[in-house]
Amino acid sequence: MSNDRHVPVMLQRCLDMLAPAVERPGAVVVDCTLGLGGHSEALLQRFPGVRLVALDRDKEALRLSGERLAPYGDRATLVHAVYDELPEVLDRLGIPSVDGVLFDLGVSSMQLDEADRGFAYAQDAPLDMRMDQTAGISAAEVLNTYPAGELVRILRAYGEEKQAKRIVSAIVREREKEPFTNSARLVELIRDALPQAAKRTGGNPAKRTFQALRIEVNRELDSVEKAIPAAVKAINVGGRVVVLSYQSLEDRIVKQVFAAGAATTAPPGLPVVPEKYQPRLKLLTRGAELPTEEEVAENRRAAPARLRGAERIREDLR
């Protein structure tokens, strides 16, 4: 597997943002989305005193990253888990709180590049899309068994697909003739179902439907909704959470969690805000930071990335 395409997105910026929290010896940092280990390896290299806990739901990713991170010995602990299981993982490892948490949401390069996983619409493959191939239902099962109304909802909510009704009508008609198994047939059906004007707007017309199926199969937004608040809760005062998102739905969740943490919860009109109402977080980014043009030129997968960070500035007062 060539390494050039596994350039971690906005790597330097992520490390710089985490640095003040994880530079001290004995700091614990969690990489919630290990993937092929690019961000994790860079964290271990740059911060020689750091202990890393890395999570991934994909066993193949864990195996490959395990080889890559082997030189760091017991500084790296790799765990088979979905990132919303962060509290349970830390509990099991006996780690009460951590100094840094990094999320690189979305599909890892490896999953996109392994043809037989069915994530990519550019090549024919079985419609699987499960990040953890040992659990859950495949994209084919979603397409073949969900009621039409539910499919329309998924395509609209998760794919922001304006032509959801047309596409779903075609899917329902076709699945009665023969169940869906492979991606090429779905791509062709979407192409045929869309009006000419819709085909002209940006990229592969199947992109939004594939994104929607992937999010549904992996329950990604549910996981993000649980994981970001859990990460905020897990960090010490002075600790930092850094999140890379690749689509607006994820970025919106991150933005809302951070904004809520950075706002005062005091009733309006108090002359002095008591400590229990004061913000728990300080935002490290103004809005979302975007990759530079140079980075996008080097690594096209960086193009949709949105980076946000927050620092814990006070304890939760019970």
Side-chain angles (χ1 to χ4, degrees):
M1 190 158 38
S2 74
N3 241 359
D4 57 329
R5 62 185 181 205
H6 301 304
V7 183
V9 172
M10 295 178 83
L11 177 61
Q12 224 32 63
R13 198 63 197 99
C14 290
L15 296 177
D16 291 347
M17 214 180 270
L18 284 166
V22 302
E23 273 167 333
R24 62 172 185 77
V28 179
V29 65
V30 183
D31 183 348
C32 279
T33 42
L34 173 64
L36 284 163
H39 284 109
S40 277
E41 185 177 45
L43 283 162
L44 289 162
Q45 271 172 358
R46 175 155 165 193
F47 308 111
V50 88
R51 176 185 174 192
L52 171 89
V53 176
L55 281 50
D56 209 292
R57 57 165 69 176
D58 188 326
K59 287 190 166 166
E60 182 61 5
L62 286 165
R63 185 184 69 75
L64 291 165
S65 293
E67 291 169 11
R68 183 175 187 169
L69 302 179
Y72 298 94
D74 58 6
R75 287 181 59 207
T77 306
L78 276 47
V79 185
H80 182 232
V82 184
Y83 42 73
D84 62 9
E85 297 172 292
L86 176 65
E88 293 79 8
V89 170
L90 294 178
D91 204 36
R92 261 201 327 268
L93 295 172
I95 300 173
S97 62
V98 302
D99 303 282
V101 183
L102 174 67
F103 290 89
D104 184 7
L105 301 170
V107 187
S108 85
S109 304
M110 183 193 76
Q111 290 160 342
L112 286 171
D113 293 334
E114 304 265 318
D116 60 354
R117 302 294 288 268
F119 285 94
Y121 36 80
Q123 49 201 8
D124 192 21
L127 278 166
D128 190 322
M129 298 197 196
R130 287 173 300 166
M131 290 184 191
D132 178 353
Q133 291 190 297
T134 62
I137 67 166
S138 69
E141 286 176 75
V142 171
L143 281 175
N144 294 328
T145 64
Y146 277 31
E150 187 62 1
L151 284 174
V152 170
R153 183 190 70 76
I154 289 165
L155 262 57
R156 279 189 182 147
Y158 300 159
E160 302 178 270
E161 175 55 80
K162 294 185 178 70
Q163 305 292 335
K165 270 196 155 151
R166 275 183 178 221
I167 292 169
V168 170
S169 300
I171 288 169
V172 171
R173 193 172 61 240
E174 283 298 311
R175 76 185 183 186
E176 282 166 10
K177 297 178 199 168
E178 192 191 334
F180 284 90
T181 54
N182 274 45
S183 57
R185 182 175 165 218
L186 177 61
V187 172
E188 200 178 321
L189 172 147
I190 293 166
R191 276 217 170 91
D192 293 345
L194 292 180
Q196 273 313 113
K199 289 182 208 180
R200 283 196 291 272
T201 55
N204 191 310
K207 181 178 168 183
R208 291 179 293 277
T209 298
F210 272 66
Q211 173 179 301
L213 286 169
R214 193 196 83 217
I215 290 172
E216 172 64 19
V217 165
N218 296 293
R219 301 269 181 242
E220 284 173 45
L221 293 181
D222 300 355
S223 296
V224 174
E225 276 176 342
K226 289 202 291 237
I228 307 298
V232 168
K233 212 170 173 162
I235 51 173
N236 303 313
V237 171
R240 293 180 164 205
V241 179
V242 173
V243 188
L244 275 167
S245 318
Y246 296 83
Q247 32 112 339
S248 56
L249 303 163
E250 288 171 342
D251 183 52
R252 200 174 304 146
I253 295 168
V254 179
K255 178 185 176 180
Q256 285 166 350
V257 173
F258 284 0
T264 168
T265 53
L270 293 184
V272 176
V273 176
E275 187 160 349
K276 66 175 177 178
Y277 297 129
Q278 286 186 11
R280 297 191 319 280
L281 295 180
K282 177 179 85 181
L283 302 181
L284 301 171
T285 43
R286 295 186 58 172
E289 280 188 19
L290 310 180
T292 62
E293 282 174 25
E294 296 81 51
E295 183 171 8
V296 174
E298 257 174 55
N299 179 9
R300 61 190 173 75
R301 286 187 183 152
R306 302 284 176 272
L307 179 68
R308 293 181 189 270
E311 180 181 335
R312 184 71 175 261
I313 53 173
R314 68 180 67 243
E315 289 292 353
D316 271 339
L317 291 172
R318 299 279 171 263

